[in-house]
């Protein structure tokens, strides 16, 4: 492993990882209520986002557990479900999808995974539960084949694409004269069925592959069909294969890095050896794996939550409008972090209140509003 110089952010990452792992056991998979979890962290206790260190149990994967396992004791949440501790969404979806393994094989399941990721993963961070928003997975159980699923997609009367906390790929342009209403529908009908069938055949024909080996295969497939890379969405899809078909993936291999993860991981260490960017990020991931036992594809997702935790992310609206955003902050020990929503910004009178904001003040929104640089902000702490 390459030698890297860690920063104070690395120590906090390890502390956050331990907190999130504890809450995953207590609240996410367990039966303790978030407000009763005694995390000594207001953000973890009040916002159901920071409770996971494995992607399979994150909000954007909840419904996939339901469709894949159904209402059976194979479901990872069965200990809760069997006690009646579940949402109405979970009960509806899991019961509707029970028995689908008698009809679906690997290609069909890959298609379900891809539909979920391409259309936004059902995410809405302002609601509880957050992973069931605008998703067609509520009704795909009615289908027995990929073709039936694509037909349903093209005639579905309710919105099922969500960009809340997510992003869509650059879908191919709809051909003139076609009956497609959405470019995503065109992709999911004309391209995705062939992609998943050829991918399934390739996966079943060999030994376990690394994440990036599968990714390279998919990116090359897109290039041959004049499509953009779809790196973000395909990475999430490949992680699904690792979670629900681990026999095809080397789960300890290196993963891909989204923009949020890159921002976070770059805080964790100093690139004193001037490694190439990906090699530097990989070196940090190797150290995280060594220190926590977290596979890189899981640690990458934790990194995305970690930067939100540092910046005290709460999405205003629906189930979180009752929170006093001038009081609910994480227990992060790095007090001079200049971005997001920080208690120090209130203390220094840079903002009168965070209550009533329409969206989370991401990046340096607050500093820009008062015309302050990062260096000037950090100097306030030395003066204080």
């Amino acid at each position: 492993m390459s030698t890297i110089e860690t920063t104070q952010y690395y120590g906090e990452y390890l502390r956050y990882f331990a907190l999130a792992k504890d809450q995953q056991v207590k609240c996410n998979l367990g039966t303790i209520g978030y407000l009763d979890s005694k995390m000594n962290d207001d953000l973890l206790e009040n916002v159901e986002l920071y409770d996971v260190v494995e992607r399979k149990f994150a909000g954007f994967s909840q419904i996939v557990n339901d469709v894949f396992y159904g209402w059976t004791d194979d479901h990872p949440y069965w200990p809760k479900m069997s006690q009646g501790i579940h949402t109405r969404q979970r009960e509806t979806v899991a019961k509707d999808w029970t028995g689908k393994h008698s009809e679906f094989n690997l290609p069909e399941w890959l298609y379900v995974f891809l539909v979920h990721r391409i259309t936004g993963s059902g995410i809405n961070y302002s609601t509880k539960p957050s992973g069931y928003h605008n998703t067609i997975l509520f009704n795909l159980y009615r289908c027995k084949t990929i073709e039936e699923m694509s037909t349903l997609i093209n005639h579905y009367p309710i919105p099922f694409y969500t960009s809340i906390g997510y992003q869509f790929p650059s879908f191919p342009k709809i051909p003139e004269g076609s009956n497609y209403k959405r470019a995503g529908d065109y992709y999911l009908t004309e391209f995705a069925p062939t992609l998943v069938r050829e991918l399934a055949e390739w996966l079943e024909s060999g030994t376990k592959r690394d994440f990036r080996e599968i990714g390279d295969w998919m990116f090359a497939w897109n290039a041959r069909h004049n499509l953009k890379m779809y790196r973000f969405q395909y990475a999430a899809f490949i992680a699904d294969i690792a979670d629900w078909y681990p026999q095809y993936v080397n789960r300890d291999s290196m993963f891909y890095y989204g923009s949020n993860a890159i921002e976070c991981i770059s805080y964790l260490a100093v690139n004193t050896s001037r490694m190439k960017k990906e090699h530097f990020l990989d070196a940090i991931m190797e150290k995280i794996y060594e220190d926590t036992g977290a596979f890189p594809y899981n640690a990458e997702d934790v990194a995305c939550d970690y930067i939100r935790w540092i910046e005290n992310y709460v999405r205003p609206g629906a189930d979180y409008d009752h929170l006093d955003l001038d009081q609910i902050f994480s227990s992060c020990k790095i007090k001079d972090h200049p971005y997001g929503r920080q208690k120090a910004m209130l203390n220094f009178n840079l903002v009168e209140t965070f209550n009533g904001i329409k969206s989370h003040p991401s990046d340096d929104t607050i500093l820009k509003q008062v015309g302050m640089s990062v260096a000037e902000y950090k100097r306030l702490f030395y003066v204080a």
Side-chain angles (χ1 to χ4, degrees):
M1 184 184 74
S2 302
T3 300
I4 58 173
E5 180 182 336
T6 59
T7 68
Q8 63 175 334
Y9 284 90
Y10 186 78
E12 278 298 276
Y13 177 92
L14 295 182
R15 193 173 73 83
Y16 170 76
F17 187 96
L19 287 170
K21 185 176 181 179
D22 188 23
Q23 199 176 53
Q24 176 175 294
V25 173
K26 288 179 176 178
C27 307
N28 185 313
L29 291 168
T31 59
I32 297 174
Y34 288 81
L35 290 174
D36 298 321
S37 59
K38 298 181 180 179
M39 303 304 300
N40 294 316
D41 186 296
D42 289 339
L43 204 58
L44 268 76
E45 292 173 1
N46 286 276
V47 181
E48 297 181 15
L49 169 64
Y50 307 99
D51 62 345
V52 64
V53 292
E54 295 175 67
R55 298 175 68 102
K56 188 173 184 177
F57 308 128
F60 59 39
S61 294
Q62 289 295 315
I63 197 171
V64 186
N65 283 303
D66 299 338
V67 303
F68 193 79
Y69 296 109
W71 194 261
T72 71
D73 57 9
D74 289 329
H75 200 300
Y77 291 90
W78 185 251
K80 297 175 72 169
M81 294 159 64
S82 62
Q83 298 179 56
I85 306 172
H86 53 73
T87 63
R88 59 177 178 80
Q89 293 94 331
R90 165 145 290 155
E91 181 170 359
T92 296
V93 177
K95 287 184 176 178
D96 283 343
W97 281 80
T98 301
K100 291 303 290 186
H101 282 279
S102 64
E103 297 173 346
F104 283 5
N105 293 310
L106 180 60
E108 288 76 23
W109 285 115
L110 292 183
Y111 188 76
V112 171
F113 299 162
L114 191 57
V115 168
H116 181 58
R117 298 308 176 187
I118 286 292
T119 59
S121 292
I123 284 297
N124 183 347
Y125 290 126
S126 68
T127 63
K128 296 185 287 187
S130 68
Y132 297 82
H133 182 73
N134 282 6
T135 172
I136 198 171
L137 266 60
F138 276 105
N139 281 289
L140 281 189
Y141 76 93
R142 303 176 187 275
C143 307
K144 295 183 179 181
T145 66
I146 291 175
E147 284 67 33
E148 287 183 7
M149 285 189 275
S150 66
T151 298
L152 180 61
I153 285 170
N154 277 286
H155 295 90
Y156 204 62
I158 304 171
F160 61 94
Y161 289 81
T162 178
S163 60
I164 301 177
Y166 210 72
Q167 61 186 13
F168 300 130
S170 297
F171 292 120
K173 186 177 179 180
I174 299 174
E176 289 187 19
S178 74
N179 294 321
Y180 293 106
K181 296 179 180 179
R182 294 166 293 240
D185 297 359
Y186 174 52
Y187 164 80
L188 289 171
T189 301
E190 300 293 340
F191 296 90
T194 303
L195 168 63
V196 297
R197 285 188 169 115
E198 291 182 6
L199 176 60
E201 182 179 1
W202 180 69
L203 290 172
E204 292 176 324
S205 68
T207 58
K208 285 187 176 184
R209 267 92 174 194
D210 289 351
F211 282 107
R212 290 176 185 170
E213 187 180 358
I214 300 173
D216 287 344
W217 187 98
M218 296 187 71
F219 302 148
W221 191 97
N222 270 29
R224 290 196 304 272
H225 292 81
N226 298 313
L227 298 173
K228 296 293 182 63
M229 297 281 278
Y230 297 10
R231 285 180 64 94
F232 178 80
Q233 297 77 19
Y234 282 1
F237 167 75
I238 295 167
D240 289 342
I241 301 175
D243 281 332
W244 285 281
Y245 282 97
Q247 64 267 37
Y248 298 119
V249 186
N250 292 317
R251 298 177 69 209
D252 59 352
S253 63
M254 284 297 152
F255 193 58
Y256 294 100
Y257 306 112
S259 57
N260 284 347
I262 290 173
E263 178 187 357
C264 168
I265 299 167
S266 298
Y267 280 121
L268 303 183
V270 179
N271 192 0
T272 54
S273 300
R274 296 184 178 181
M275 289 181 276
K276 290 182 178 180
K277 188 173 185 178
E278 188 172 68
H279 293 164
F280 173 60
L281 296 172
D282 286 349
I284 299 173
M285 279 293 159
E286 288 176 357
K287 181 166 179 56
I288 291 173
Y289 185 23
E290 180 181 276
D291 290 343
T292 67
F295 293 137
Y297 83 109
N298 283 325
E300 187 269 352
D301 188 57
V302 175
C304 296
D305 291 341
Y306 171 63
I307 196 65
R308 294 187 183 104
W309 178 75
I310 289 177
E311 298 184 359
N312 295 287
Y313 176 84
V314 180
R315 183 178 177 86
D319 294 318
Y320 295 112
D321 270 348
H322 68 286
L323 296 181
D324 184 346
L325 296 183
D326 293 342
Q327 298 294 326
I328 303 297
F329 295 97
S330 76
S331 62
C332 180
K333 296 179 180 179
I334 302 172
K335 301 305 180 184
D336 65 345
H337 186 78
Y339 303 135
R341 181 179 64 91
Q342 302 295 335
K343 189 173 184 179
M345 294 172 179
L346 290 168
N347 296 338
F348 292 133
N349 297 314
L350 303 186
V351 61
E352 183 178 344
T353 181
F354 287 113
N355 291 314
I357 59 176
K358 301 300 182 182
S359 61
H360 173 75
S362 60
D363 301 324
D364 58 350
T365 296
I366 301 300
L367 297 189
K368 283 182 177 178
Q369 288 177 355
V370 298
M372 180 177 287
S373 70
V374 170
E376 289 170 332
Y377 178 75
K378 287 182 175 288
R379 276 200 294 271
L380 293 175
F381 291 84
Y382 293 103
V383 174

